[in-house]
C-alpha cells in the first residue's frame, strides 16, 4: 500500500511539473521532492496524526529539500516547491466544498472550506517556517565569519 | 537615455517572471537586483498579479506594465532568473540582456500539447489512487482526466472568459465520469471526479495566496485568493450541474 502511494505520488508530482513547464532536466528531482512530501503526510495520517499537522510536517520537509535542490542546481526554489506541494494542496477539498455549496448543503460546505483553508495555511506556514530557519542559519554563519 | 534602456530591461524581466507564475517578492527582488547591477541603487517597484509599477528613482517617471495573461511556466522563471544572475555577475551587458529577454518572450511552451495532456491524464489517475481510490478506477480517471484537460485547453482558446472554459470542462468531466459509472467501468464516482479535476483545481493558487498574505503582500494575496475562489467555484458548479441533471 505504501509502495503504490510512493509510485503514484512520484508520477503525479512529475506529471504536474510537466504541466507547469518545469525545465526538462529537473523533472526527476521534482517528482522525488513530491514523493517524499507525500510519504511523510501518509505516514503521519495513517498513524492517526491530524491532517493539518501532517501537512505542516510534510511541507517543511518539501521546503528543506527544495532549498537544497535550489542551491545545488542554482535554479529558483519555486520550481521544486511547486511540484513538491502539489500532492499536499487541498484541491480536492476545495472542489468538494464548492460542490456542496452549489447543491445547497451549506453545513458540509463550510466544514470542508474551513478545512481546505487550514490545510493551505499549513502548507504556507511550513514553507515560510523553513525559509526563516534558513535565513537564521545564514545570518549566524555570517556573524561567525565577521 | 541609459536609464530608459535599464527600465525597459527591468520591466521585461519582471513581466516574464510574473507571467510565468513567480512569487511577488521574487519579481520585485529580481528587478531591483538588475537595476543595482547597472548602477542604480534606489529603484522602486510595486508588483501585483495584474500589473507592475517600476521607477528608477523617486524623481524619475514611473513606468507601468499591465499583466493580462497569467499561467504557470516555470521554465521561463528559470531562464529569466539565470539571466539576472549573469547580469549581477557582470557577464551580460545591457544590450545582450535585453536581446536575451526578448528571445525568452517569444518562446512558447517547453513541452508539446500532447505531452501535457498525457501528463494531466497520468496525474488524474495517480490522484485517484492517492485519495484511497481503487485500482479499477485508475483507467476511467485517466481517460476522464485527459479529456477534461484537453477540453479546458480547447475551450480556453475558443472562449474569452477563463472561468467559463473551466466550467464547461468540468461539466464534461462530470458527464464522462457518470457515463463510466453507468457503464459499470468504475466503482466510486467521487474518486474518479476528484482525480480528474485535480489538473484544473487552483490548489497552488490558494497556497500562494496564503503565502503572499503572510509575507505582507496584501494586494497580491487578496487578488490571488479571488482568482482561486472563482476557479474553484467554476469547477464545483460544472460538476454540480451534472449531479442536478442526472
Amino acid at each position: 500500500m505504501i509502495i503504490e502511494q510512493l509510485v503514484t505520488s512520484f508520477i503525479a508530482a512529475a506529471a504536474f511539473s510537466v504541466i507547469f513547464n518545469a525545465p526538462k532536466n529537473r523533472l526527476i528531482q521534482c517528482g522525488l521532492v513530491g514523493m517524499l512530501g507525500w510519504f511523510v503526510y501518509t505516514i503521519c495520517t495513517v498513524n492517526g496524526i491530524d491532517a493539518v499537522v501532517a501537512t505542516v510536517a510534510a511541507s517543511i520537509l518539501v521546503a528543506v529539500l527544495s532549498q537544497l535542490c535550489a542551491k545545488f542546481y542554482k535554479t529558483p526554489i519555486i520550481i521544486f516547491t511547486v511540484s513538491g506541494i502539489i500532492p499536499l494542496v487541498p484541491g480536492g477539498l476545495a472542489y468538494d466544498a464548492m460542490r456542496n455549496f452549489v447543491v445547497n448543503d451549506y453545513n458540509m460546505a463550510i466544514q470542508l472550506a474551513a478545512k481546505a483553508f487550514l490545510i493551505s495555511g499549513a502548507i504556507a506556514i511550513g514553507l515560510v517556517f523553513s525559509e526563516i530557519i534558513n535565513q537564521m542559519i545564514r545570518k549566524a554563519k555570517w556573524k561567525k565569519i565577521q | 537615455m541609459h536609464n530608459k534602456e535599464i527600465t525597459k530591461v527591468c520591466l521585461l524581466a519582471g513581466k516574464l517572471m510574473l507571467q510565468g507564475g513567480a512569487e511577488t517578492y521574487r519579481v520585485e527582488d529580481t528587478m531591483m537586483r538588475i537595476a543595482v547591477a547597472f548602477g542604480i541603487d534606489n529603484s522602486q517597484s510595486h508588483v501585483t498579479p495584474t500589473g507592475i509599477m517600476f521607477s528608477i528613482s523617486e524623481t524619475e517617471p514611473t513606468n507601468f506594465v499591465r499583466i493580462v495573461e497569467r499561467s504557470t511556466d516555470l521554465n521561463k522563471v528559470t531562464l529569466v532568473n539565470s539571466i539576472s544572475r549573469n547580469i549581477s555577475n557582470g557577464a551580460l551587458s545591457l544590450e545582450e540582456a535585453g536581446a536575451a529577454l526578448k528571445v525568452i518572450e517569444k518562446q512558447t511552451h517547453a513541452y508539446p500539447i500532447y505531452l501535457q495532456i498525457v501528463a494531466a491524464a497520468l496525474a488524474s489517475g495517480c490522484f485517484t489512487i492517492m485519495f484511497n481510490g481503487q485500482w479499477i478506477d485508475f483507467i476511467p480517471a485517466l481517460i476522464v482526466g485527459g479529456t477534461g484537460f484537453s477540453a479546458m485547453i480547447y475551450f480556453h482558446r475558443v472562449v474569452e472568459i477563463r472561468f467559463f472554459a473551466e466550467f464547461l470542462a468540468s461539466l464534461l468531466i462530470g458527464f464522462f465520469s457518470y457515463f463510466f459509472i453507468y457503464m459499470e467501468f468504475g466503482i466510486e464516482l467521487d474518486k474518479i471526479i476528484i482525480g480528474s479535476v485535480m489538473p484544473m483545481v487552483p490548489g497552488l493558487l490558494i497556497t500562494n495566496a496564503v503565502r503572499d498574505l503572510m509575507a505582507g503582500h496584501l494586494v497580491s494575496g487578496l487578488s490571488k485568493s479571488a482568482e482561486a475562489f472563482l476557479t474553484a467555484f467554476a469547477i464545483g458548479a460544472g460538476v454540480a450541474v451534472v449531479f442536478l441533471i442526472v
Side-chain angles (χ1 to χ4, degrees):
Chain A
M1 183 244 167
I2 275 294
I3 288 173
E4 77 180 26
Q5 293 285 323
L6 285 180
V7 172
T8 48
S9 59
F10 176 81
I11 297 174
F16 258 93
S17 48
V18 170
I19 298 177
F20 290 152
N21 259 319
K24 276 186 186 109
N25 44 355
R26 299 285 169 268
L27 290 184
I28 303 283
Q29 290 88 338
C30 292
L32 279 177
V33 173
M35 184 183 88
L36 291 171
W38 183 251
F39 178 68
V40 170
Y41 177 82
T42 5
I43 290 289
C44 287
T45 43
V46 163
N47 289 318
I49 298 173
D50 185 61
V52 176
V53 181
T55 308
V56 173
S59 65
I60 286 178
L61 179 77
V62 164
V64 169
L65 286 175
S66 307
Q67 269 162 4
L68 292 177
C69 283
K71 208 157 240 172
F72 191 72
Y73 296 110
K74 290 202 166 54
T75 40
I77 185 169
I78 188 173
I79 310 256
F80 303 104
T81 49
V82 162
S83 13
I85 61 172
I86 272 296
L88 303 172
V89 293
L93 269 177
Y95 146 78
D96 226 15
M98 271 306 155
R99 206 197 72 199
N100 278 302
F101 269 121
V102 179
V103 298
N104 288 339
D105 188 354
Y106 296 117
N107 281 331
M108 200 63 207
I110 292 283
Q111 275 181 34
L112 289 170
K115 205 172 174 200
F117 181 75
L118 275 184
I119 288 185
S120 49
I123 295 175
I125 283 179
L127 293 180
V128 173
F129 181 71
S130 73
E131 212 162 88
I132 290 169
I133 297 281
N134 187 26
Q135 275 173 13
M136 278 165 71
I137 292 173
R138 228 185 266 165
K139 265 181 200 159
K141 266 186 194 162
W142 192 70
K143 261 181 197 161
K144 230 187 250 170
I145 293 166
Q146 287 243 314
Chain B
M1 285 319 97
H2 195 56
N3 279 1
K4 237 184 197 169
E5 289 302 310
I6 295 172
T7 313
K8 255 189 192 168
V9 167
C10 289
L11 277 176
L12 187 56
K15 184 183 153 199
L16 289 176
M17 289 190 93
L18 200 58
Q19 282 181 337
E23 310 98 304
T24 312
Y25 78 84
R26 184 184 295 280
V27 177
E28 288 183 352
D29 191 56
T30 306
M31 284 171 33
M32 268 144 87
R33 264 170 209 255
I34 292 175
V36 167
F38 290 129
I40 284 147
D41 286 328
N42 49 349
S43 60
Q44 303 283 324
S45 71
H46 176 69
V47 175
T48 70
T50 50
I52 301 174
M53 280 169 259
F54 182 76
S55 164
I56 288 268
S57 77
E58 286 92 341
T59 51
E60 293 285 316
T62 302
N63 297 271
F64 178 75
V65 170
R66 174 148 171 70
I67 310 286
V68 182
E69 199 46 57
R70 286 176 300 277
S71 62
T72 311
D73 189 340
L74 298 178
N75 200 29
K76 262 185 195 166
V77 179
T78 318
L79 290 173
V80 177
N81 194 63
S82 70
I83 283 182
S84 101
R85 208 183 280 269
N86 282 340
I87 292 175
S88 302
N89 289 342
L92 275 177
S93 72
L94 190 55
E95 287 80 29
E96 285 168 340
L101 286 172
K102 276 193 188 115
V103 171
I104 296 175
E105 193 185 19
K106 290 213 180 76
Q107 202 180 52
T108 46
H109 278 268
Y111 301 98
I113 293 282
Y114 73 88
L115 205 62
Q116 289 190 31
I117 292 172
V118 169
L122 269 177
S124 308
C126 289
F127 269 111
T128 304
I129 305 298
M130 281 158 71
F131 292 137
N132 294 323
Q134 292 167 39
W135 279 102
I136 199 164
D137 289 335
F138 184 82
I139 301 286
L142 195 87
I143 299 169
V144 176
T147 324
F149 190 74
S150 16
M152 197 186 72
I153 294 177
Y154 174 73
F155 287 134
H156 195 60
R157 277 184 198 161
V158 180
V159 190
E160 289 280 298
I161 303 163
R162 211 183 104 201
F163 303 108
F164 198 65
E166 278 154 0
F167 174 78
L168 288 177
S170 54
L171 198 71
L172 260 182
I173 284 179
F175 268 120
F176 270 107
S177 324
Y178 199 81
F179 176 72
F180 274 116
I181 295 291
Y182 184 74
M183 299 292 282
E184 292 181 350
F185 191 39
I187 302 172
E188 288 169 284
L189 180 65
D190 240 28
K191 292 277 159 35
I192 298 178
I193 292 181
I194 284 196
S196 313
V197 296
M198 270 315 272
M200 302 189 338
V201 293
L204 187 69
L205 257 178
I206 297 173
T207 310
N208 265 346
V210 178
R211 196 154 172 234
D212 270 0
L213 285 174
M214 274 184 186
H217 289 277
L218 300 180
V219 178
S220 314
L222 286 182
S223 41
K224 275 180 192 168
S225 348
E227 197 180 356
F229 173 79
L230 275 174
T231 308
F233 182 74
I235 296 171
V239 177
V241 165
V242 177
F243 275 98
L244 290 180
I245 291 175
V246 290

